[in-house]
Amino acid sequence: MATLKEVAERAGVSQSTVSRLLNDPSFSIKEETRRRVLRVCEELGYRNVFRPAIAVLDAPPSGEELQDAYFAELRDILIECAKSMELDRLTFIHSIDELIERASEFDGFVSIGATVFPADSLRALHAALPHGVCIDTNPAPHLFDSVRPDLSQTMLDALDAMIAAGRRRIAFIGGVGSLMGLHDYPEDIREASFRQWAAHLGLDVDGLVYATGTFSVENGYRQAERLVADHRNANANTGANANAGGAMPDGLIVAADVLAVGVLQALNALHVRVPDELAVISVNNQSIARYTSPSLSSYAIDQHELARTALSTLIDGLKHERGVRRHVLLTTELAPRASFTPASR
């Protein structure tokens, strides 16, 4: 076990400072110094006393009720997980500039939301507060850790499930997002993965990918209208040839429940029978999925595991000062409902 002297030398303070900090609750010391000493105690195994000050960069895109509900639930789960891990109360900060300004108050941060930050801001944040974990997204993989659902695997799982159920003409509806990294690619990882896996599986999805606009109910409705307008008449002209170039798809994968709600509304209004004519699978498994018409089959993202893993990854990075970034992918699980019935195994 380390000695008091070793802790003091590593932390750059006197032995008396370490002793008073650990034994005198009334001892007054700069917060930054206090955290440094406690972190060194933890690193050297002197005492298990490190309780990091953690900020939450809480800057999701706003204005869409279902997206807001997803992030509201994630906030509550983060608070619950921090409490169960006996961490100090989380501080929620709503802009990257504010977090940079207040960086000295914290040991590290987790971020939630899909807001795209400028590369210069991300680099400035890393310079001020190098320990961070991004939840759901990976905007700067060389700067910060991340914990995300494995959406590429989810797209493959969804395609496999559709094929196993006898669906071969499979469409996709999504929105504009950003691929990971310090580059602004106007493509969401779900769309990119859908195209990639469809090609590997020998599926022709030419003309079957609709991925423009925001992640909103209204945009889901509009894109489903376009899909039906583009392909329903082609179905009538091709008769039994369901695989003709413009024929109506028999399967549809939607990037998120917020879009899928609008998709199902449009399909109902246009008298497209779900799932008989068109089976639908979505992603997120929000509570609304149980109450759509028909109820929505959706891949569940375990928010409790996202939050717990993010906090654990951050603490591990603070304790061990890793030289490499860690990116954790979590699997998703299909919650089957009326919009798609998977084949029996």
Side-chain angles (χ1 to χ4, degrees), residues 3-39:
T3 65
L4 188 69
K5 180 181 179 181
E6 290 171 330
V7 171
E9 289 176 349
R10 175 77 71 88
V13 298
S14 66
Q15 294 183 54
S16 62
T17 295
V18 177
S19 179
R20 291 189 65 189
L21 175 61
L22 297 179
N23 297 295
D24 181 2
S26 65
F27 180 53
S28 178
I29 188 173
K30 287 184 178 180
E31 178 63 20
E32 188 174 352
T33 304
R34 183 188 73 84
R35 295 201 309 270
R36 185 173 69 251
V37 172
L38 296 182
R39 185 188 302 162

Side-chain angles (χ1 to χ4, degrees), residues 4 32 61 70 82 87 105 110 115 120 137 139 157 162 164 166 177 181 232 235 253 289 299-300 306 309:
L4 188 69
E32 188 174 352
Y70 175 86
L87 299 173
E105 301 175 30
V110 297
T115 296
D120 288 347
T137 62
D157 291 345
M162 284 283 189
R232 174 173 269 175
N235 250 16
I253 298 171
Y299 280 88
L306 281 175
T309 305

Side-chain angles (χ1 to χ4, degrees), residues 7 50 122 136:
V7 171
F50 181 49
L122 290 166
D136 274 333

Side-chain angles (χ1 to χ4, degrees), residues 17-313:
T17 295
V18 177
S19 179
R20 291 189 65 189
L21 175 61
L22 297 179
N23 297 295
D24 181 2
S26 65
F27 180 53
S28 178
I29 188 173
K30 287 184 178 180
E31 178 63 20
E32 188 174 352
T33 304
R34 183 188 73 84
R35 295 201 309 270
R36 185 173 69 251
V37 172
L38 296 182
R39 185 188 302 162
V40 169
C41 288
E42 184 78 18
E43 290 172 354
L44 298 182
Y46 186 72
R47 287 193 194 176
N48 186 18
V49 291
F50 181 49
R51 292 167 65 93
I54 298 174
V56 178
L57 178 55
D58 180 16
S62 60
E64 171 52 57
E65 184 177 353
L66 290 181
Q67 275 195 315
D68 291 346
Y70 175 86
F71 291 115
E73 185 175 359
L74 184 55
R75 292 183 197 101
D76 290 342
I77 290 170
L78 272 168
I79 293 169
E80 175 188 323
C81 285
K83 185 176 181 180
S84 69
M85 296 169 70
E86 298 183 342
L87 299 173
D88 289 340
R89 185 178 180 86
L90 303 176
T91 301
F92 286 79
I93 292 179
H94 302 290
S95 80
I96 193 169
D97 292 334
E98 181 186 356
L99 182 56
I100 293 169
E101 290 173 4
R102 297 178 59 184
S104 62
E105 301 175 30
F106 306 105
D107 295 292
F109 72 94
V110 297
S111 72
I112 62 175
T115 296
V116 177
F117 298 112
D120 288 347
S121 295
L122 290 166
R123 294 188 185 100
L125 176 59
H126 182 262
L129 195 62
H131 296 285
V133 180
C134 303
I135 299 177
D136 274 333
T137 62
N138 190 8
H142 295 293
L143 301 180
F144 303 113
D145 296 336
S146 68
V147 179
R148 297 168 288 135
D150 190 350
L151 295 177
S152 177
Q153 182 64 46
T154 299
M155 290 298 102
L156 176 58
D157 291 345
L159 284 165
D160 282 342
M162 284 283 189
I163 292 169
R167 313 282 174 160
R168 293 292 303 181
R169 187 164 169 77
I170 304 168
F172 176 87
I173 287 179
V176 175
S178 295
L179 295 177
M180 66 182 182
L182 295 174
H183 305 280
D184 186 16
Y185 296 117
E187 186 178 31
D188 182 75
I189 187 64
R190 285 156 288 196
E191 178 193 348
S193 298
F194 174 86
R195 291 182 183 275
Q196 175 189 11
W197 291 122
H200 281 308
L201 294 169
L203 299 174
D204 181 7
V205 297
D206 186 37
L208 294 175
V209 175
Y210 295 78
T212 61
T214 61
F215 281 77
S216 66
V217 173
E218 181 182 4
N219 189 39
Y221 193 104
R222 287 197 304 266
Q223 295 199 84
E225 280 187 316
R226 286 199 292 272
L227 182 150
V228 174
D230 288 347
H231 299 286
R232 174 173 269 175
N233 289 338
N235 250 16
N237 295 332
T238 56
N241 186 6
N243 290 318
M248 187 75 176
D250 57 6
L252 173 62
I253 298 171
V254 186
D257 292 349
V258 63
L259 289 165
V261 169
V263 167
L264 290 178
Q265 289 174 352
L267 296 178
N268 282 330
L270 295 168
H271 306 292
V272 177
R273 294 175 291 113
V274 178
D276 295 339
E277 184 178 355
L278 180 63
V280 179
I281 296 177
S282 182
V283 180
N284 276 9
N285 194 36
Q286 291 182 253
S287 58
I288 190 66
R290 299 193 296 270
Y291 307 112
T292 56
S293 178
S295 58
L296 180 63
S297 294
S298 186
Y299 280 88
I301 295 173
D302 190 332
Q303 288 184 305
H304 284 86
E305 191 62 22
L306 281 175
R308 188 196 66 77
T309 305
L311 292 171
S312 298
T313 300

